[in-house]
């Protein structure tokens, strides 16, 4: 059983930067990571990828040969990849024994809520290789500063969730830059929890362009609230605590926290509802102070020091024994 993430989101949302930072973070906590680049338009990669779609097909060649634009070319590339799924499968099989997979997909949003080729690629891999994947959908946090754009981001997130049919986590990326876009109309919790969108109506009415579509906007907000599926977590890829919190959510959604545990249904339930720290029970070694190299918007690179956390096998066992005792006492 192999676990991983499917990285999706509009252009500029930070998928490639996310893959680079996430892969380094996961390596630091003891996981062997393989990044799979499935974006044929991404010819400048800051990370080392284990599999690159450009070895199969290049967007520039498709555009030149078939006289297609970039959007049509990406659709063609995804269709071509689906028809040649055996090529991708053969390159993934050597990684299945001990790697955690990160799939970096193109930023063309139509691929994930209109066309079926990208979904079919993911589903075929899940079926053939027994993968456990979570879709991580990145949305640039600056969209919160514009009510109209924020509603559009909600619709995109909802449509993508319904279309892909995967465990799904929506992420407001670049949250460290949100203050630079201006003061938000509401607190950040309003935008992450997506609870009562009627409060946006007043702010939408201030814009003559949005006011013209007042009724349509209200109906769209009602659809989002009726499904009640969309919420967001925040991410600053340069902040180890922010990345760590996201990893915990992903590990719960794809079942990674249960891997290698032989326990009863009650114990599984306890793990599912608790704030379980990744890898503490699976990697009983001590991490030394290390440096992680991650991209920075204004600098070529920055070094972030990762604080050490010491966990031994005995300490982990003691932790779960105490949890068991507390659970029994509550009964």
């Amino acid at each position: 059983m192999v676990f991983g993430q499917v990285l999706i989101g509009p252009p500029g949302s930070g998928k490639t930067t996310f893959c680079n930072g996430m892969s380094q973070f996961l390596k630091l906590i003891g996981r062997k990571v393989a990044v799979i680049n499935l974006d044929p338009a991404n010819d400048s990669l800051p990370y080392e990828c284990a599999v690159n779609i450009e070895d199969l097909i290049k967007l520039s060649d498709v555009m030149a040969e078939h006289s297609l634009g970039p959007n049509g070319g990406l659709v063609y590339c995804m269709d071509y990849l689906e028809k040649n799924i055996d090529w991708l499968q053969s390159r993934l099989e050597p990684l299945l024994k001990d790697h955690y997979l990160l799939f970096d997909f193109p930023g063309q949003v139509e691929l994930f809520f209109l066309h079926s080729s990208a979904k079919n690629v993911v589903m075929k891999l899940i079926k053939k290789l027994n993968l456990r994947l979570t879709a991580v959908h990145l949305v640039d946090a600056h969209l919160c500063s514009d009510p109209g754009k924020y509603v559009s981001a909600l619709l995109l997130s909802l449509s993508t969730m319904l279309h892909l049919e995967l465990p799904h986590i929506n992420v407001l990326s670049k949250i460290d830059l949100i203050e630079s876009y201006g003061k938000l109309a509401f607190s950040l919790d309003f935008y992450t929890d997506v609870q009562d969108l009627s409060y946006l109506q007043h702010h939408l009415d201030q814009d003559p362009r949005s006011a013209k579509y007042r009724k349509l906007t209200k109906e769209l907000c009602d659809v989002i609230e009726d499904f009640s599926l969309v919420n967001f977590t925040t991410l600053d890829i340069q902040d180890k605590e922010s990345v760590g919190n996201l990893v915990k959510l992903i590990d719960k959604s794809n079942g990674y926290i249960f891997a290698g545990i032989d326990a009863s249904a009650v114990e599984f339930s306890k793990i599912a509802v608790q704030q379980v720290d990744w890898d503490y029970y699976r990697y009983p070694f001590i991490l030394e102070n290390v440096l992680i190299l991650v991209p920075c918007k204004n600098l070529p690179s920055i070094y972030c020091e990762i604080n050490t956390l010491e966990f031994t096998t005995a300490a982990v066992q003691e932790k779960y024994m105490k949890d068991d005792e507390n659970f029994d006492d509550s009964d």
Side-chain angles (χ1 to χ4, degrees):
M1 188 178 298
V2 184
F3 299 89
Q5 305 172 26
V6 175
L7 283 307
I8 57 176
S13 58
K15 295 185 300 300
T16 300
T17 301
F18 177 93
C19 279
N20 188 31
M22 178 62 73
S23 64
Q24 294 184 53
F25 184 89
L26 292 173
K27 289 175 183 177
L28 286 172
I29 63 173
R31 303 187 196 180
K32 295 184 67 175
V33 181
V35 183
I36 296 90
N37 176 44
L38 297 183
D39 184 359
N42 193 353
D43 54 2
S44 180
L45 299 173
Y47 54 78
E48 181 180 353
C49 55
V51 181
N52 194 342
I53 191 176
E54 287 201 339
D55 295 335
L56 174 68
I57 189 170
K58 293 184 178 180
L59 178 62
S60 57
D61 294 341
V62 170
M63 293 171 61
E65 182 175 348
H66 299 281
S67 301
L68 294 172
N71 290 341
L74 283 171
V75 173
Y76 182 97
C77 289
M78 285 296 104
D79 289 341
Y80 189 83
L81 177 61
E82 181 186 358
K83 290 181 173 61
N84 293 272
I85 193 67
D86 292 341
W87 173 88
L88 181 57
Q89 180 181 346
S90 65
R91 279 155 178 78
L92 290 177
E93 285 174 347
L95 306 173
L96 299 182
K97 183 178 180 180
D98 54 0
H99 280 75
Y100 186 96
L101 306 180
L102 296 177
F103 292 89
D104 188 3
F105 272 88
Q108 187 183 11
V109 296
E110 296 93 327
L111 294 173
F112 303 101
F113 72 91
L114 286 178
H115 300 284
S116 60
S117 54
K119 175 185 176 181
N120 292 341
V121 168
V122 173
M123 292 304 171
K124 288 179 180 179
L125 292 178
I126 290 174
K127 183 177 180 180
K128 292 184 177 183
L129 303 179
N130 192 27
L131 305 183
R132 297 293 183 269
L133 303 177
T134 290
V136 181
H137 183 225
L138 302 184
V139 175
D140 197 322
H142 92 271
L143 298 180
C144 296
S145 62
D146 186 316
K149 293 179 180 178
Y150 175 67
V151 172
S152 299
L154 293 176
L155 282 173
L156 173 61
S157 300
L158 177 60
S159 301
T160 304
M161 293 175 74
L162 297 175
H163 183 71
L164 285 182
E165 299 178 317
L166 287 174
H168 194 104
I169 295 177
N170 295 303
V171 179
L172 290 177
S173 62
K174 307 178 186 177
I175 199 65
D176 53 312
L177 303 177
I178 194 168
E179 293 183 355
S180 65
Y181 304 124
K183 185 178 179 180
L184 297 178
F186 305 98
S187 68
L188 185 59
D189 290 343
F190 174 85
Y191 298 96
T192 56
D193 295 344
V194 195
Q195 291 182 344
D196 191 347
L197 298 179
S198 63
Y199 288 104
L200 286 175
Q201 197 65 56
H202 171 73
H203 294 274
L204 287 167
D205 291 344
Q206 305 305 309
D207 186 345
R209 295 171 298 177
S210 300
K212 181 179 179 181
Y213 304 103
R214 175 186 175 90
K215 186 176 180 180
L216 174 62
T217 303
K218 182 181 183 303
E219 294 299 327
L220 293 176
C221 290
D222 288 344
V223 170
I224 296 169
E225 290 184 328
D226 288 344
F227 275 97
S228 192
L229 292 175
V230 182
N231 58 19
F232 293 94
T233 187
T234 58
L235 175 67
D236 174 5
I237 194 62
Q238 301 178 39
D239 181 4
K240 62 183 181 297
E241 183 177 355
S242 178
V243 179
N245 289 334
L246 178 58
V247 170
K248 294 175 188 178
L249 289 176
I250 295 171
D251 287 351
K252 280 190 175 184
S253 66
N254 61 20
Y256 184 87
I257 61 172
F258 303 112
I261 297 179
D262 185 12
S264 66
V266 172
E267 290 170 325
F268 277 130
S269 299
K270 288 166 59 181
I271 294 173
V273 299
Q274 289 175 348
Q275 293 184 350
V276 178
D277 292 327
W278 23 252
D279 293 331
Y280 292 166
Y281 57 86
R282 191 177 297 103
Y283 295 104
F285 53 72
I286 299 175
L287 290 176
E288 299 295 337
N289 281 333
V290 291
L291 293 175
I292 177 173
L293 181 65
V294 295
C296 180
K297 183 177 180 62
N298 299 319
L299 299 172
S301 61
I302 65 171
Y303 283 101
C304 298
E305 186 174 358
I306 304 300
N307 295 331
T308 60
L309 287 172
E310 299 184 5
F311 274 82
T312 64
T313 303
V316 174
Q317 291 175 343
E318 181 181 0
K319 173 182 181 296
Y320 281 101
M321 288 174 65
K322 289 181 178 179
D323 289 342
D324 292 337
E325 291 173 0
N326 294 335
F327 183 82
D328 294 336
D329 291 342
S330 64
D331 288 340

